[in-house]
Amino acid sequence: MGVHLAASGKRAVLVDADLGGANLHTCLGMKPPQVTLSDFVNRKVESLEDVVAGTGTEGLGLISGALDFLGAANPKYTQKLRLLREIGRLEVDYVIVDLGGGTGFNILDFFLIADHGILTVVPEPTSIENAYRFIKAAYYRRLKTLELAWNIKPLVDAAIRDQGGKGLKTPADLITCVERSNAEAGKTLRNELEALPLKLVVNQVRSPEEHRLGGAIRDACNQYFGVKMEVLGTIPYDDAVWQSVRKRRPVVVSHPESAASKSLNTIIQAVGLE
């Protein structure tokens, strides 16, 4: 995505926030950067701009994750706020943050603050289960934030306590229950939760059935959580991808006419960044 945007004349920075497991530099054919995100977190450098390394692609920079600082995988709250603030100050058109897997608060907070949160799955039960867990964790993380911001925690707590009498079976039922108690608060809660930045890409697709998986996940998410997820598209299983990784080059550069590259371009257009 970053390479594509840079090629179209945009300025973009990749932030490898898979802290403790950073490898975007390898995919870009770069040597490990001398200055990483851990140097900024530890205040060895004050400006995040000083961490941006050239990638060899004009208009595209990289902020590498912490390669050797295990503590950076769990930055403190103040460190996280400083990092989020400085990311917003980067003088570029787009910042693309690559997050690690899991449901830790730091990962969720980075995801929820984004304009576009893209969740990727492969057509395997374990991946789908992990995606469900992530969506659930993101939903309740946002709910906790809203409870504090809008002072609606008493209403949510009352709805949960009375779940037997009101038939609460899903998070979507919770919103309906709050709306019954307080229409204005319920409307606010519904609007904010529906605005979760959830977009989905299904990767390594091999069959028509797997191609339809994104729609099934979207429908289940809407029914259970009351959240409007957008399916951006699918990426077919393509040997060009692993061949590109071995060459240490992005697939859209090494194999621009491959099925995977064409699908990625379609997905970028679906996000609406151009």
Side-chain angles (χ1 to χ4, degrees):
M1 184 176 288
V3 171
H4 183 96
L5 290 170
S8 66
K10 305 297 183 181
R11 296 172 302 163
V13 165
L14 307 176
V15 180
D16 198 344
D18 186 356
L19 302 180
N23 58 17
L24 278 187
H25 63 280
T26 302
C27 297
L28 291 164
M30 301 167 56
K31 294 182 179 179
Q34 295 299 309
V35 183
T36 70
L37 206 50
S38 63
D39 295 305
F40 175 78
V41 170
N42 285 323
R43 292 189 176 273
K44 292 181 180 179
V45 296
E46 288 299 320
S47 173
L48 195 58
E49 291 279 1
D50 295 334
V51 188
V52 180
T55 64
T57 298
E58 185 177 356
L60 180 66
L62 171 68
I63 295 176
S64 182
L67 300 178
D68 54 5
F69 178 58
L70 296 179
N74 293 290
K76 297 178 181 177
Y77 179 73
T78 54
Q79 293 173 324
K80 179 171 61 179
L81 289 182
R82 175 170 168 259
L83 177 57
L84 289 170
R85 182 179 66 247
E86 291 301 312
I87 286 176
R89 291 177 176 175
L90 292 171
E91 295 184 2
V92 294
D93 298 305
Y94 296 102
V95 177
I96 303 172
V97 184
D98 179 21
L99 296 170
T103 56
F105 286 164
N106 291 322
I107 291 174
L108 294 173
D109 290 341
F110 274 101
F111 186 89
L112 291 172
I113 202 172
D115 295 312
H116 304 277
I118 301 175
L119 185 64
T120 61
V121 300
V122 295
E124 298 174 1
T126 51
S127 178
I128 295 170
E129 288 173 6
N130 288 338
Y132 169 78
R133 291 191 187 100
F134 182 86
I135 295 168
K136 182 177 180 180
Y139 181 95
Y140 282 109
R141 182 66 170 170
R142 173 60 67 85
L143 178 61
K144 288 292 183 183
T145 302
L146 294 173
E147 286 177 349
L148 294 174
W150 297 92
N151 195 28
I152 57 175
K153 190 175 186 303
L155 290 173
V156 173
D157 289 345
I160 293 174
R161 284 195 304 270
D162 196 29
Q163 58 181 320
K166 299 193 177 181
L168 296 186
K169 296 180 180 179
T170 69
D173 292 338
L174 174 63
I175 299 175
T176 301
C177 184
V178 173
E179 284 178 326
R180 291 190 189 119
S181 300
N182 186 311
E184 184 176 354
K187 181 180 179 180
T188 298
L189 187 61
R190 181 178 295 278
N191 290 341
E192 291 291 333
L193 289 173
E194 284 183 350
L196 278 171
L198 276 175
K199 295 177 170 61
L200 182 71
V201 172
V202 184
N203 194 16
Q204 300 184 26
V205 168
R206 291 180 171 89
S207 69
E209 180 181 3
E210 293 178 349
H211 182 79
R212 294 190 290 269
L213 177 61
I217 295 175
R218 175 199 59 208
D219 294 345
C221 183
N222 183 32
Q223 181 177 359
Y224 186 77
F225 292 102
V227 172
K228 297 178 180 178
M229 172 186 283
E230 179 183 358
V231 181
L232 296 176
T234 62
I235 302 173
Y237 180 87
D238 192 338
D239 286 338
V241 176
W242 65 260
Q243 290 170 1
S244 298
V245 174
R246 288 189 178 183
K247 293 177 182 178
R248 294 162 58 97
R249 299 179 68 193
V251 67
V252 294
V253 174
S254 63
H255 297 83
E257 297 303 317
S258 66
S261 292
K262 291 179 179 179
S263 295
L264 283 167
N265 291 338
T266 300
I267 287 168
I268 292 169
Q269 293 172 6
V271 177
L273 299 184
E274 298 182 317

